[in-house]
Amino acid sequence: MPELVSVNVGTSQQIAVRRGRPMMSAITKQPVAGRVRVEGVNVAGDAQADLRVHGGPDKAVYAYAREDSDWWEDVLGIDVPDGMFGENLTTRGVDVSGAVIGERWRIGTVELEVCQPRQPCSKLGIRFGDGKMVKKFAHASRPGAYLRIVTEGELGAGDEITVLSRPAHGVTVALVSDAIFKDRGLAAQVLVAPELSEDAAADLRQAA
C-alpha cells in the first residue's frame, strides 16, 4: 500500500557563512509525530528562508520517495534519513519522480496536485557536505515533486496515499527535470502539460 512514511518540517537557521554573511535555510527538516495541518501554502511548523525562490502555492509541499533516498544511500555510501532532502513528505510505494504533472493525491484529508520538480541549489550541497551534490542530483533524474494544496486538511505518518487522477498527457516530474537540466530539446514536449507551474514553464519557454 502506498503510504506516507514521515512528515518533516524545519525552520530557518544558519547553515553556512558566505562572503562574511550567514546563509540561512530551512532545508534541515526533522520528522514530527501526530497529525499535521496542511493549509494555505505550507505544512504546519515548516518555513522557508528565501521566499523569492522557495515556498508559494506551487512549492507548498515537497515530496520525496523513500525508495529514492535508499538509492542515494547506495550511491553515496551514507545514511540518508527521512527529511534529508528537505522534503516535507517522505513516501513509500509511490513513484514520486515518475508522477505525472497534474496528478492528484489524497493523504489523510488533504488533496495535493503535482506541479513541478525540485530544482537543487547550493544549500543541498551544504546539507550533504558535498560540493558536487547539486550536479549529481540534477543528473540523477530523481528530483522529487512539489505539490499544490488543492484541499486543506490533516495528514500523518502511516496514512495511505491514494492517486485520485492522472492526466493523459504523460509528462512526468522527471521529464520536466531532464528538460531543465539535461536536454533543453525536451522543452516543447514538456510544455503540453497545462498544470506545470508557471515558473518552470516560463523557464522552458525560452528553449521551446
Side-chain angles (χ1 to χ4, degrees):
M1 179 186 74
E3 67 171 342
L4 182 59
V5 176
S6 68
V7 183
N8 316 297
V9 301
T11 56
S12 180
Q13 57 185 279
Q14 182 177 327
I15 61 169
V17 176
R18 176 171 289 179
R19 297 172 185 167
R21 301 182 64 181
M23 177 182 285
M24 307 299 292
S25 175
I27 193 171
T28 303
K29 301 191 189 297
Q30 300 293 332
V32 293
R35 311 300 293 169
V36 182
R37 186 75 184 168
V38 177
E39 61 186 356
V41 292
N42 225 333
V43 175
D46 196 47
Q48 295 82 36
D50 188 349
L51 295 177
R52 296 171 302 168
V53 293
H54 298 292
D58 290 338
K59 295 181 178 178
V61 180
Y62 179 50
Y64 205 70
R66 185 61 244 177
E67 292 88 344
D68 285 334
S69 293
D70 292 344
W71 182 86
W72 282 109
E73 287 189 334
D74 291 340
V75 169
L76 301 175
I78 62 172
D79 290 334
V80 180
D82 297 340
M84 185 69 176
F85 283 94
E87 76 270 19
N88 300 115
L89 309 180
T90 306
T91 69
R92 180 180 286 116
V94 176
D95 185 0
V96 178
S97 295
V100 173
I101 300 295
E103 183 171 307
R104 291 195 174 189
W105 303 349
R106 178 177 291 128
I107 312 175
T109 59
V110 180
E111 185 175 334
L112 303 167
E113 182 177 89
V114 175
C115 58
Q116 71 175 69
R118 162 81 165 275
Q119 298 182 41
C121 67
S122 60
K123 294 172 183 177
L124 185 67
I126 293 169
R127 175 78 164 128
F128 276 82
D130 182 350
K132 296 181 179 179
M133 188 60 192
V134 173
K135 185 175 182 180
K136 291 175 183 177
F137 186 85
H139 284 267
S141 298
R142 296 170 183 264
Y146 275 114
L147 304 109
R148 302 181 180 102
I149 299 170
V150 178
T151 302
E152 298 176 343
E154 294 183 345
L155 47 68
D159 283 352
E160 181 178 359
I161 301 173
T162 302
V163 178
L164 299 174
S165 62
R166 182 175 287 131
H169 56 68
V171 176
T172 66
V173 174
L175 184 63
V176 177
S177 180
D178 287 349
I180 293 171
F181 294 109
K182 297 168 71 173
D183 183 0
R184 286 276 169 159
L186 296 170
Q189 182 179 342
V190 163
L191 287 168
V192 303
E195 306 89 352
L196 183 63
S197 72
E198 179 54 32
D199 284 350
D203 182 15
L204 289 166
R205 285 190 197 105
Q206 300 175 21

